[in-house]
Amino acid sequence: MTGVSLWPQVCRRLRVQGPTAARILVIAVLCWQTALWAGADQPPVFAAIVPVLCLRGDSASSLAALLLRILGVMAGVALGVTVVTLFRPSTLVLAVVTGLALLCGTVISSGTALNVQVAVSSLLVFANPSPDAYGFARLWENALGGAVTAVLAPLLWPRDPRREAEALARECAAGLAEGLVRTTEAIGVPDAARPNRVAALARADRLRRCGALAREAEQAMRFNPLRRRHRGQVTDLAARIGHAVQAVPQLLTLAAEAEFFTVRDGATPALSRARTSLLPVAEATGRALAAVLAGRDPRADTDAARAGLARYAEEDTAPMPVVLRRPFTRILDLCDGSRS
């Protein structure tokens, strides 16, 4: 069973990470070969290391990492060669160089993580019997590897932000619709109400993640020259996903209220009536959210949902139904607002 369950996970990871691994492999080989063509008299390892360390899933992060690595190598080599030229290696000199390198790393950084490349490069100078030759080779090979990586990375198997955004929109629509229906079905069912709230919290995390990934896909278009024609579509999809994700707090509120009334009152006729009356409303609201995410007019579905809410309001005027109707009303207002 372990082998059977492990294989699908491996396949999913290969589908997700395979293109990035292939890009790293091809660009590393090309960096190596380009350095040989440029006259490297030693194996040009430093040129091949650049794409291995710098390429990420998206081009923006890759270019930032690439720039920080090259600047770190330049600063580290300059610092190491200068100190080795002036002083003999010792524990005190090592401490001074490492401290200065780490200080430089705080300046040459992304602002969120220390750039340790400065320290690594300066310390490697100490370990080489010919610091000047080593430093020069490290500088030009890294620069060459960085140039090859910067040119080829956006062109080899680039991300398809439009396809990613479309998949995220479908996932978001399915998650919201499922959450509304499952929560409504749990009203007045003690064995289902509490597990449903836990499931709603997990579903909310996934939906918010969809919103974050949609924003990343939109940002990736700026560094994707082969797919710039889709920029408008991706921007529109990201906006729709972000708009729909605003329904998540109302989904959580509905789950919390369903749990509260069910645990407090049990399987009462009022809760059974709420479940029966609100289930068509939940289905229509889910279709309205799907229409928003697909770029269609949700008016037919929002009208059907509001009609169901109006019928339920006539059937039961107690405070509890008012509380259960409120999340649906706010989600429908959100769907209507998407047309403006």
Side-chain angles (χ1 to χ4, degrees):
M1 291 297 294
T2 303
V4 174
S5 61
L6 180 61
W7 179 246
Q9 295 181 16
V10 172
C11 291
R12 281 196 298 271
R13 291 180 182 178
L14 283 174
R15 284 196 299 271
V16 174
Q17 301 175 11
T20 300
R23 291 167 72 215
I24 292 173
L25 172 62
V26 172
I27 295 176
V29 171
L30 290 175
C31 287
W32 173 287
Q33 187 59 49
T34 304
L36 291 178
W37 287 335
D41 54 1
Q42 296 290 331
V45 175
F46 305 124
I49 284 177
V50 173
V52 174
L53 295 181
C54 296
L55 281 182
R56 304 288 187 271
D58 64 279
S59 300
S61 298
S62 297
L63 291 174
L66 183 62
L67 178 61
L68 291 175
R69 174 175 170 79
I70 293 175
L71 291 175
V73 168
M74 293 174 62
V77 168
L79 178 61
V81 170
T82 301
V83 172
V84 168
T85 303
L86 298 176
F87 306 101
R88 296 187 54 166
S90 67
T91 304
L92 178 60
V93 171
L94 177 70
V96 171
V97 169
T98 304
L100 290 174
L102 293 174
L103 182 61
C104 290
T106 63
V107 178
I108 308 173
S109 70
S110 60
T112 58
L114 177 68
N115 186 357
V116 297
Q117 183 62 58
V118 184
V120 170
S121 296
S122 60
L123 291 176
L124 286 175
V125 171
F126 275 67
N128 200 280
S130 179
D132 292 338
Y134 167 82
F136 177 73
R138 189 165 176 82
L139 282 174
W140 81 262
E141 287 181 15
N142 270 277
L144 181 62
V148 173
T149 302
V151 170
L152 294 180
L155 304 177
L156 292 178
W157 302 290
R159 292 173 58 184
D160 189 343
R162 183 184 63 170
R163 184 171 62 185
E164 292 177 10
E166 289 173 345
L168 289 169
R170 290 192 296 269
E171 181 181 348
C172 194
L176 287 167
E178 181 185 17
L180 288 169
V181 171
R182 291 281 180 88
T183 298
T184 305
E185 291 174 341
I187 296 174
V189 184
D191 292 339
R194 182 169 286 121
N196 174 74
R197 189 183 181 192
V198 175
L201 291 170
R203 188 177 293 110
D205 289 339
R206 292 196 299 271
L207 290 168
R208 292 191 183 103
R209 178 64 176 161
C210 284
L213 290 174
R215 290 191 297 272
E216 290 180 9
E218 183 181 9
Q219 293 172 358
M221 291 299 296
R222 293 179 297 175
F223 303 94
N224 201 328
L226 298 184
R227 304 190 188 276
R228 290 185 67 84
R229 65 187 183 279
H230 300 149
R231 187 168 187 173
Q233 294 171 276
V234 174
T235 299
D236 184 48
L237 279 165
R240 279 188 253 139
I241 293 170
H243 194 77
V245 168
Q246 294 178 34
V248 169
Q250 304 309 321
L251 179 62
L252 292 175
T253 298
L254 181 63
E257 299 295 358
E259 180 191 24
F260 171 76
F261 289 120
T262 301
V263 171
R264 187 191 69 176
D265 301 335
T268 63
L271 287 175
S272 178
R273 185 165 55 251
R275 182 174 63 252
T276 302
S277 299
L278 288 175
L279 188 55
V281 174
E283 293 171 347
T285 304
R287 292 194 300 270
L289 286 166
V292 169
L293 285 161
R296 303 192 305 270
D297 189 345
R299 194 175 311 172
D301 294 307
T302 57
D303 289 346
R306 290 187 190 280
L309 288 174
R311 287 192 296 270
Y312 180 43
E314 293 175 357
E315 294 170 2
D316 197 334
T317 58
M320 183 267 293
V322 175
V323 174
L324 291 177
R325 290 195 301 268
R326 187 176 297 126
F328 289 104
T329 300
R330 290 176 176 171
I331 294 174
L332 293 171
D333 290 342
L334 185 69
C335 293
D336 288 336
S338 68
R339 302 201 308 267
S340 58

